[in-house]
Amino acid sequence: MELLQLRYFQVVATNQHITQSAAQLHVSQPAISTVITRLENELGAPLFERSGRTIVLNQYGKSFLSHVNKILLEIDNAKKEISDLSQNEDKSITLSVTSPQFIQGIDSFMINNPEIRWRQSVKKLPEITQMLENGTIDLCITSPPVVGNDIETIILLKDRFVLAVHPDHPLAKEKSVSLSEVAHERFIALHNGLPFREQTDLLFAQMGLTPNIVMECDHYLRREFLKNNAGVTLASRSAQFRHLYDSKIVYVPLNDVESTRDIALSRLKGKYITRASREFCNFLQDYYSSIGLNDE
């Protein structure tokens, strides 16, 4: 059994698609199929259920993947630790986030550490969870947090939900409002499937409310519609600190909402963390602490 076989298997097991895996590995589809077949022959059991070019891990494959992840993780750990010890330090950070807004403001860290190479992606939570478990990323920043026995998570910020309105909107004069009182307002919402939209939908559902959504759009258009007083939107309290909207936008507290939007930093337990990643983790904790909203 060769290391290359294990790495190919891990990619195929993650993607569960031959064509996509071949493109990612920069090899031909027959080469992928040959490697997987040899591996199955050596193990004496099928690892996938096949349907055309789509393949799904079976019980043997899932069991084997858990061991492969550990093996490849230890090999990668050894490489990084030896690199650190030999002073040929790995100055790269592989980071994935559920929203690019979570890394808004890290430019000062990048300026002070110009030697660090970044590999950053925006993914949905299930994809990030799998990438973290596979050891293909060093860190992730998500909301909601990644959950798992092998995952170490630090809550960076317990962000409160607020109503964001144009300064000319009548609600801008209120010290606080209840979500139940404003559900009929013209709401500007993000597209379905985006993490923040899922969290706000859950918020309304938990209170038995149906919001009057008149517009579904991306982050940029939501900002523009709000700037032009075309409606109201739910936002997080830190949006003001992170300058996500026009500086004149008013953030009105919700007096009947106790839930918070938890922004979390996670990594895989047992995965070697380079000095660059450790310093970035410390920076993130200091950065989010400086927002000063956790105690509100």
Side-chain angles (χ1 to χ4, degrees), residues 116-226:
I116 293 179
R117 301 183 307 277
W118 295 84
R119 292 193 296 274
Q120 186 265 321
S121 61
V122 181
K123 302 284 185 181
K124 293 184 177 180
L125 188 64
E127 295 177 90
I128 290 179
T129 301
Q130 191 169 52
M131 292 167 67
L132 202 62
E133 291 175 343
N134 289 350
T136 54
I137 57 175
D138 300 321
L139 306 165
C140 68
I141 307 173
T142 66
S143 182
V146 175
V147 177
N149 293 332
D150 296 326
I151 307 299
E152 182 178 304
T153 295
I154 296 172
I155 301 299
L156 295 172
L157 181 66
K158 298 184 79 65
D159 210 356
R160 291 195 173 278
F161 292 97
V162 295
L163 188 72
V165 301
H166 188 275
D168 292 337
H169 194 285
L171 292 174
K173 300 176 181 180
E174 300 293 331
K175 292 184 177 181
S176 70
V177 295
S178 65
L179 196 59
S180 56
E181 292 174 341
V182 300
H184 67 281
E185 293 286 342
R186 294 171 55 83
F187 271 90
I188 306 164
L190 294 175
H191 287 303
N192 277 316
L194 292 175
F196 190 74
R197 172 63 187 274
E198 292 177 349
Q199 289 175 308
T200 54
D201 281 352
L202 179 61
L203 198 62
F204 280 112
Q206 288 174 337
M207 300 184 69
L209 301 172
T210 301
N212 176 32
I213 296 176
V214 298
M215 174 63 69
E216 294 178 296
C217 56
D218 59 21
H219 290 278
Y220 174 77
L221 283 177
R222 184 174 65 157
R223 174 189 174 97
E224 291 304 303
F225 283 126
L226 193 61

Side-chain angles (χ1 to χ4, degrees), residues 2 4-5 8-9 12 18 22 27-42 47 50 55:
E2 300 175 0
L4 185 63
Q5 286 179 299
Y8 277 23
F9 167 75
V12 175
I18 293 293
V27 297
S28 67
Q29 295 176 32
I32 291 281
S33 298
T34 298
V35 167
I36 297 301
T37 299
R38 287 178 178 174
L39 192 57
E40 289 177 324
N41 289 338
E42 185 172 350
L47 300 172
R50 291 166 171 80
I55 54 178

Side-chain angles (χ1 to χ4, degrees), residues 14-290:
T14 299
N15 296 329
Q16 300 197 74
H17 198 281
I18 293 293
T19 303
Q20 184 178 341
S21 299
Q24 182 176 336
L25 293 166
H26 305 291
V27 297
S28 67
Q29 295 176 32
I32 291 281
S33 298
T34 298
V35 167
I36 297 301
T37 299
R38 287 178 178 174
L39 192 57
E40 289 177 324
N41 289 338
E42 185 172 350
L43 292 170
L47 300 172
F48 297 92
E49 298 294 335
R50 291 166 171 80
S51 176
R53 297 199 181 279
T54 300
I55 54 178
V56 180
L57 279 175
N58 59 25
Q59 60 176 336
Y60 306 116
K62 291 177 181 178
S63 176
F64 187 59
L65 178 61
S66 66
H67 293 286
V68 169
N69 286 342
K70 293 175 183 176
I71 292 169
L72 296 181
L73 177 63
E74 284 303 314
I75 292 173
D76 290 340
N77 282 350
K79 289 180 179 179
K80 290 181 178 180
E81 187 169 358
I82 290 173
S83 177
D84 276 356
L85 291 172
S86 64
Q87 296 183 342
N88 184 26
E89 184 181 354
D90 179 6
K91 295 182 179 180
S92 66
I93 297 176
T94 305
L95 171 73
S96 193
V97 298
T98 50
S99 171
Q101 296 176 352
F102 295 156
I103 53 174
Q104 190 167 347
I106 69 167
D107 49 313
S108 61
F109 182 84
M110 298 177 71
I111 292 171
N112 292 327
N113 298 274
E115 73 285 358
I116 293 179
R117 301 183 307 277
W118 295 84
R119 292 193 296 274
Q120 186 265 321
S121 61
V122 181
K123 302 284 185 181
K124 293 184 177 180
L125 188 64
E127 295 177 90
I128 290 179
T129 301
Q130 191 169 52
M131 292 167 67
L132 202 62
E133 291 175 343
N134 289 350
T136 54
I137 57 175
D138 300 321
L139 306 165
C140 68
I141 307 173
T142 66
S143 182
V146 175
V147 177
N149 293 332
D150 296 326
I151 307 299
E152 182 178 304
T153 295
I154 296 172
I155 301 299
L156 295 172
L157 181 66
K158 298 184 79 65
D159 210 356
R160 291 195 173 278
F161 292 97
V162 295
L163 188 72
V165 301
H166 188 275
D168 292 337
H169 194 285
L171 292 174
K173 300 176 181 180
E174 300 293 331
K175 292 184 177 181
S176 70
V177 295
S178 65
L179 196 59
S180 56
E181 292 174 341
V182 300
H184 67 281
E185 293 286 342
R186 294 171 55 83
F187 271 90
I188 306 164
L190 294 175
H191 287 303
N192 277 316
L194 292 175
F196 190 74
R197 172 63 187 274
E198 292 177 349
Q199 289 175 308
T200 54
D201 281 352
L202 179 61
L203 198 62
F204 280 112
Q206 288 174 337
M207 300 184 69
L209 301 172
T210 301
N212 176 32
I213 296 176
V214 298
M215 174 63 69
E216 294 178 296
C217 56
D218 59 21
H219 290 278
Y220 174 77
L221 283 177
R222 184 174 65 157
R223 174 189 174 97
E224 291 304 303
F225 283 126
L226 193 61
K227 180 180 178 180
N228 289 287
N229 200 15
V232 303
T233 193
L234 284 183
S236 55
R237 183 68 182 85
S238 68
Q240 182 176 12
F241 178 89
R242 293 183 283 135
H243 309 294
L244 299 185
Y245 300 102
D246 185 84
S247 59
K248 296 180 180 179
I249 294 301
V250 177
Y251 301 89
V252 184
L254 295 168
N255 55 38
D256 58 348
V257 175
E258 294 297 327
S259 302
T260 57
R261 185 195 191 198
D262 295 347
I263 301 174
L265 170 67
S266 301
R267 70 179 187 90
L268 182 65
K269 291 179 182 177
K271 181 177 175 63
Y272 185 81
I273 299 297
T274 63
R275 183 181 304 173
S277 292
R278 291 196 299 270
E279 291 177 353
F280 182 58
C281 287
N282 292 334
F283 168 83
L284 281 174
Q285 292 179 73
D286 290 341
Y287 170 73
Y288 273 91
S289 293
S290 69

